Amino acid sequence: MRNLLITILALLFSFLQLKAQDISLYQQYNGTINYTAIGNTLNAFENNLVREFCEILPSSSADLNIPNSANVVAAYLYWAGSGTGDQEVTLNNTQVTAEEIYNVEYQDSFYGTLTYFSCFTDITNIVTALGNTTYTLSDLDISETLTTNIGYCNNRTNFAGWSIYVIYEEASLPINQVSLFQGLEIINQVEQEKTIVIDNINVLDNDGAKIGFLAWEGDSNLNYGETLQINGNLISNPPLNPSDNAFNGTNSFTNTSTFYNGDLDVYNIQDNIAIGDTSVEIKLTTGDIDDTGVFRADLIILNNIITVLNSQLPDATVSIDYYNNDCYSNTIDLDYTIYNSNSTEVLPENTPIAFYANNQRIAQSVTENDIAIDGFENKNITLTIPNNIPDNFTLTIVVDDDGEGNGTVVELNETNNTTTENIQLTPLPESIELEPLLSCDIGFNTAIFNLTNPLEEITNNSLNSVTFYTTIEDLINNENNIIIPEHYQSTTSPQTIYIKIETEDCADIYQFNLLTENCPPTIPQGFSPNNDSVNDWFNIQGLYDIFENHELKIYNRYGTLLFVGDNTKRWEGKANRGITNQGKLLPVGTYFYVLNLNDNNFKLLTGWVYLNR
């Protein structure tokens, strides 16, 4: 059963070790903070001094001692050793499981590939609960690795150990930025030199600057060509860490040299960095000829790097929270947030913000207020997308950008000011032409229409949301829709009406024309011009303001022309022709009309009308 479990764990490690090994930034902390580290070896002796043993201790302990007024911000446990890894260990009677496992390999000329591992997990809750106490790590098992591959012990690279990093805050400390970088990188007699560049830092003041390392398998008895350089400067911490033997089983925090096959060291580097630096170059070397002419080299595995720098600077970042783009519109209503989270100073007001569509600047804004450390400012802007930008484009927001790619604020991290979002505008679809509506002119080329009648032609929509517009601009802007489409009076002929029918994606658009025609007028057979306000004039329905060029002639029974009217002269029973009877009300009787509509679609209309009193 145990062998089966080991096999399963081995398969698990084979997948986990695909994680990138290069040391890179894991986390940054800002404020009145510092860090300390504790740990211990599980080797009983240094390998190169005592060569007989090939086993590790069942447990080891170390004491944590941070100021009583300090508050634990974060705590991380690392454990490492020979082999592909043991992902579960016990810390103070609590089982701990690895969050990440790193592996590196050494190609030994006699024993082939030898693999080494480091595990990592967050134990902030444990350290916060226990505080300053003795921490004991146990159940780190590499026994099968050492018994199944004699190469580890024969070339004396059998090791195991652990360390706890604690980042803590205390009011009396200066404002610092603590940057933790981790991974697993190796140098040995095959690869004798390694250069690691750590960035995402900003040196505002190098006073008190320090750098720490957690490394494995270094031996005090192998100091051939072994150096540690910072920005090209050889560093040391004698007598604990001489310049020719930096990785020698020491612990700078306890000032001891019994951290066998491990190193937990910290160096003051205020003379090795300059104000304004944004990166640090770390170079490790090993390998040289011994006194007998034999080439010898130490095997050193670097697990993490940590820096403490006084950096009172803001750090502006930005996120897109929400955006809305109406159908057929080239405007975007955008909600976004400017943060000053990973910072040690206030982000000042009027920090510029640039907006780009496919790298073309389309808008500019600024922060309105000072943004405190760990603070933020919610903002909104309406962006108009230029016509030369395609419907599918990348929207980019850059905080601390004056629109020309220049920043105005010195920040802790100058590379995290950008956020992007892929935007899809919905173009205006081609409208679908429907059959026109025709109705009788009620005056001046206007008519009454039921605009819902054309919907009978539309069969591919639910018609749950239908609106009518007189212009395509109103349709696009959702403005001035026709309130009562069932009884709509046109304004001209022809007049185009637009229909918008909502769909899941946006909407379909239809259009049709309103056409007004002149219908035959309705001529009454009598009227009574007696000033009773009822039927007082010869009111021909569908004539006036419709056949605007018409001519109306009235004759008596003898054929005498008594009245000539047009669109502005209506017959009220009086004559406007003749010598003696002009302006006088004519006698009761039958009169005859000739109506010329002056419309090519109609002939002369003739008939009679009875005038009564």
Side-chain angles (χ1 to χ4, degrees), residues 208-252:
K210 59 184 178 181
I211 190 168
F213 301 89
L214 174 62
W216 304 107
E217 221 298 305
D219 299 293
S220 64
N221 201 37
L222 288 175
N223 60 336
Y224 300 97
E226 184 174 304
T227 64
L228 173 61
Q229 300 175 41
I230 302 294
N231 289 340
N233 302 310
L234 190 66
I235 65 171
S236 62
N237 183 23
L240 203 63
N241 299 106
S243 59
D244 64 347
N245 199 4
F247 302 100
N248 55 358
T250 57
N251 183 337
S252 299

Side-chain angles (χ1 to χ4, degrees), residues 352-366 381 383-389 393-398 400-406:
I353 308 161
F355 300 81
Y356 298 87
N358 283 1
N359 300 318
Q360 176 180 327
R361 185 168 68 90
I362 58 173
Q364 196 74 34
S365 184
V366 295
I381 191 171
L383 302 174
T384 300
I385 309 304
N387 292 331
N388 66 311
I389 299 297
F393 67 94
T394 299
L395 175 66
T396 302
I397 307 178
V398 186
D400 193 24
D401 182 346
D402 64 358
E404 301 294 333
N406 304 312

